[in-house]
Amino acid sequence: MPLLDVQNLNLSIHGVEILRDVNLSVERGQVVAIVGESGSGKSMTSGAVIRLLPEGADVTGSIWLNDQEIGSMSEKEMCTVRASDIGMVFQEPMSALNPVETIGAQVMEAINFSEPGLSRGEVRQRAELALTRVGLPVERFPLTTYPHKLSGGQRQRVVIAIAISQKPALLIADEPTTALDVTTQAKILNLLKKLVDQDNMGLLLISHDLAVVAEVADHIIIMKDGRIIEQGGGKGFFDNLQHEYSKALFAAARKQREEKFIKDGEDTILEVKKLRKDYQIGRKKMLRAVNDVSFSIRKGENIGLVGESGCGKSTLSRCILGLEDFQGGEIYIAEKKFNGEKRLRRHISVVFQDPYGSFNPRHTVGRLVSEPFYLLDDQPRPDQAREQVCEMLVRVGLTEADIDKYPHEFSGGQRQRIAIARALITNPDVILLDEATSALDVLIRDQILKLLSRLSRELDISYLFISHDLTTVKNITDRILVMKDGTIVEEGRTIDIFARPTHPYTKSLLDASPDINKVIAAETVDRTRENPNENIF
């Protein structure tokens, strides 16, 4: 019998059908990936397995784990199963972590719960090992570190450490590498794969990223509207897709936009000159997070800023937004020196990495999206503001009816679209997008990028894309800045950076970037070796 066996799973919430006739299994030592766009039911499927579902959920069917039918277990029995047999990595690390507890305390809490007989020293040693394995060695990240002192990628690694510290038989990972840069993403995926092999563990991987899935999954399940529409694995799976939706997902993952060039003759609307930012990390020790960074953005131009977690790109963005003081340099917006003044804030908007963390959960979508109107000298009347918000929600793929809902009623991808609507609502000159599409599945991400591209042309809006996803940066930007240890180590046209990178660090980022085309090429080579006379074209 498989490690996990889901049979005829149906799920409705307050009478609304969410999942229908879902059947899947995960063997020991196997990676099974569920892929689909936001709202397809992939996260609800994992939630049904671990029995973490919203109020009003009605589930039928059977769920077997380790030869036990867990679908009918009591909540007390399920707590024991979650503590010892199932590890969970959630999509949004800041929501999964307790902000007032240290990372060490949170990892040790999970270990204590699963193995209450261990001594305090043994628990501490296990916690240090778990954090070290996910790239957070205790020498640099003491157990006394709080989550707010870590970057988004580092916080996600803490969540992964908590999950693997229990040594589960089944690990459920819901977008586990969404917030990580490409090099760290590769390391985490290799770690998960290694754990599957070493511990004979099963991995249920939830993802919208076909490039990631193609590299690590043994079996792929594609979902749409709560149903499994296609599944398979092994060589040639992507070459033999049958369903039109599956083909659309695959096409979106492979798609490469036409080469773009810098627009000549446009005015510079954002200029950063020799910016420096230092942090005090001890009584006498200083850390330079941003080191003499200079660049400019022309009107209607899109710039990508790439680098792994901790390189300084998010610190740089906070300085540009006036959210951080800096020790040296200057920032100009619309040719006026900017130090966070309200009169210039309307010219620059931002979409943060974690949409849920950037929203007040007690405010409706209408209030959240209309909030930037206070920056305008001529603020719209309430009825005008509501009309503009409704129009913007529709433009980013939501509905007018969503205006009176609250953030918790949306998926991660939908919340990010709300954040984008809020950034666009005042028609700024520059929008700073900090991993703005990292939480979106490939189809909706493609739609949002098309929307942003169209707005850039129509409204002369410029974008500063801060991302670890080189594929996204390649598809939407005119130029790229590569950042390492607070310094811009390489910059140039996007086409040139990808075709002829000069700095070793840039080459390492490109090599580490998951690319669906690499997988297809590898499969083609394998088929050619097996059948040298086959015409693969």
Side-chain angles (χ1 to χ4, degrees):
M1 190 172 185
L3 171 66
L4 173 69
D5 191 18
V6 178
Q7 300 175 3
N8 302 318
L9 177 65
N10 294 275
L11 168 65
S12 61
I13 299 177
H14 295 297
V16 178
E17 185 181 76
I18 306 298
L19 301 176
R20 182 174 179 180
D21 295 331
V22 173
N23 293 273
L24 64 90
S25 64
V26 181
E27 303 282 352
R28 296 180 182 275
Q30 184 185 35
V31 178
V32 175
I34 303 179
V35 187
E37 59 186 329
S38 295
S40 64
K42 57 187 187 296
S43 291
M44 279 295 178
T45 301
S46 66
V49 171
I50 200 170
R51 293 273 298 281
L52 293 177
L53 294 170
E55 185 179 353
D58 181 28
V59 181
T60 62
S62 61
I63 303 172
W64 292 78
L65 179 70
N66 275 335
D67 298 336
Q68 288 185 300
E69 212 291 305
I70 64 174
S72 58
M73 285 185 174
S74 66
E75 178 59 24
K76 183 177 180 180
E77 292 172 324
M78 277 304 301
C79 284
T80 302
V81 172
R82 296 187 196 110
S84 58
D85 295 323
I86 303 178
M88 184 74 190
V89 179
F90 293 98
Q91 182 175 351
E92 295 173 346
M94 203 55 184
S95 300
L97 294 173
N98 187 335
V100 298
E101 291 282 353
T102 65
I103 61 174
Q106 296 185 64
V107 178
M108 288 190 287
E109 180 182 20
I111 296 171
N112 271 322
F113 197 76
S114 61
E115 298 186 59
L118 296 177
S119 68
R120 181 173 179 79
E122 290 172 325
V123 171
R124 183 182 180 88
Q125 186 177 24
R126 286 268 301 274
E128 291 178 350
L129 176 61
L131 288 167
T132 298
R133 295 180 74 187
V134 298
L136 300 175
V138 67
E139 295 80 11
R140 293 181 55 201
F141 304 93
L143 298 184
T144 54
T145 304
Y146 284 89
H148 72 270
K149 294 186 177 181
L150 302 176
S151 69
Q154 291 164 345
R155 287 194 291 262
Q156 188 66 297
R157 283 183 259 180
V158 176
V159 175
I160 295 172
I162 292 172
I164 66 173
S165 68
Q166 305 172 37
K167 297 182 178 179
L170 174 68
L171 180 62
I172 301 175
D174 190 348
E175 305 281 5
T177 60
T178 294
L180 303 179
D181 59 81
V182 291
T183 52
T184 305
Q185 181 185 70
K187 292 176 183 177
I188 292 300
L189 289 173
N190 286 337
L191 171 63
L192 292 174
K193 191 75 171 173
K194 184 177 180 180
L195 286 169
V196 168
D197 295 335
Q198 289 185 344
D199 300 340
N200 202 27
M201 178 178 65
L203 174 60
L204 184 61
L205 177 62
I206 312 298
S207 180
H208 62 261
D209 194 332
L210 273 177
V212 170
V213 166
E215 292 186 5
V216 302
D218 302 306
H219 189 81
I220 299 171
I221 296 170
I222 300 177
M223 293 191 70
K224 185 180 190 308
D225 298 331
R227 302 185 184 189
I228 295 176
I229 61 170
E230 193 156 3
Q231 59 181 308
K235 297 179 180 179
F237 172 68
F238 291 108
D239 293 332
N240 297 291
L241 296 174
Q242 302 299 314
H243 200 281
E244 290 302 318
Y245 177 75
S246 304
K247 295 176 182 178
L249 276 178
F250 179 64
R254 294 191 65 184
K255 183 177 180 182
Q256 295 183 355
R257 298 197 170 196
E258 294 182 357
E259 299 168 353
K260 297 168 59 180
F261 297 91
I262 299 173
K263 303 173 181 67
D264 295 326
E266 297 288 354
D267 296 331
T268 297
I269 45 87
L270 175 65
E271 187 171 12
V272 177
K273 294 183 176 181
K274 294 188 176 299
L275 194 70
R276 299 193 309 276
K277 171 64 182 177
D278 297 329
Y279 288 108
Q280 187 168 347
I281 59 175
R283 295 183 60 184
K284 297 182 179 181
K285 190 175 181 180
M286 301 293 291
L287 172 67
R288 176 150 295 180
V290 178
N291 186 18
D292 287 334
V293 169
S294 298
F295 67 92
S296 63
I297 301 179
R298 298 173 181 178
K299 196 171 186 179
E301 181 185 25
N302 298 333
I303 303 296
L305 177 64
V306 300
E308 48 190 344
S309 296
C311 71
K313 57 185 187 294
S314 292
T315 300
L316 174 60
S317 70
R318 290 194 295 270
C319 292
I320 293 173
L321 293 167
L323 302 178
E324 291 263 11
D325 295 328
F326 46 90
Q327 284 66 47
E330 297 174 327
I331 299 172
Y332 292 86
I333 294 179
E335 299 182 348
K336 297 177 182 178
K337 194 171 182 179
F338 178 62
N339 289 307
E341 300 93 338
K342 179 181 175 181
R343 63 185 177 86
L344 292 178
R345 278 189 178 273
R346 70 162 302 275
H347 294 284
I348 185 167
S349 293
V350 61
V351 178
F352 292 104
Q353 179 177 347
D354 181 359
Y356 196 68
S358 64
F359 290 155
N360 187 328
R362 298 181 179 181
H363 290 176
T364 64
V365 168
R367 182 172 178 181
L368 291 169
V369 175
S370 64
E371 185 179 12
F373 282 142
Y374 85 94
L375 296 171
L376 302 179
D377 295 330
D378 185 14
Q379 298 184 27
R381 299 191 311 270
D383 59 326
Q384 294 174 328
R386 185 177 180 88
E387 182 180 355
Q388 291 180 36
V389 170
C390 286
E391 290 177 356
M392 188 56 67
L393 290 176
V394 172
R395 295 184 78 173
V396 299
L398 299 172
T399 67
E400 294 184 5
D402 293 325
I403 192 170
D404 296 316
K405 296 179 181 179
Y406 291 85
H408 72 271
E409 299 181 64
F410 297 89
S411 68
Q414 291 170 327
R415 284 195 290 265
Q416 193 64 298
R417 280 182 268 177
I418 295 169
I420 293 171
R422 181 171 64 175
L424 294 170
I425 197 67
T426 56
N427 293 322
D429 295 314
V430 184
I431 297 181
L432 193 154
L433 300 116
D434 189 352
E435 306 284 4
T437 60
S438 63
L440 303 179
D441 60 76
V442 290
L443 287 180
I444 296 180
R445 176 170 58 191
D446 186 59
Q447 294 169 10
I448 293 298
L449 291 175
K450 285 181 179 178
L451 170 65
L452 294 172
S453 181
R454 177 169 57 82
L455 289 171
S456 178
R457 295 191 304 270
E458 295 176 353
L459 305 176
D460 279 339
I461 296 177
S462 298
Y463 303 125
L464 176 60
F465 278 88
I466 297 176
S467 179
H468 63 264
D469 187 346
L470 289 172
T471 303
T472 297
V473 170
K474 178 181 181 180
N475 290 341
I476 197 66
T477 60
D478 303 299
R479 286 190 293 133
I480 289 179
L481 310 174
V482 182
M483 195 170 190
K484 184 179 189 297
D485 298 333
T487 302
I488 303 298
V489 297
E490 185 167 0
E491 61 180 301
R493 295 192 309 169
T494 302
I495 179 177
D496 295 332
I497 292 292
F498 275 82
R500 294 176 295 277
T502 59
H503 197 279
Y505 179 69
T506 307
K507 295 177 182 178
S508 70
L509 287 178
L510 290 171
D511 290 340
S513 179
D515 186 351
I516 192 72
N517 294 296
K518 295 178 182 178
V519 177
I520 299 302
E523 288 191 359
T524 300
V525 171
D526 288 343
R527 290 200 309 273
T528 304
R529 288 174 177 170
E530 294 172 3
N531 302 288
N533 297 321
E534 179 185 1
N535 183 1
I536 62 173
F537 296 102

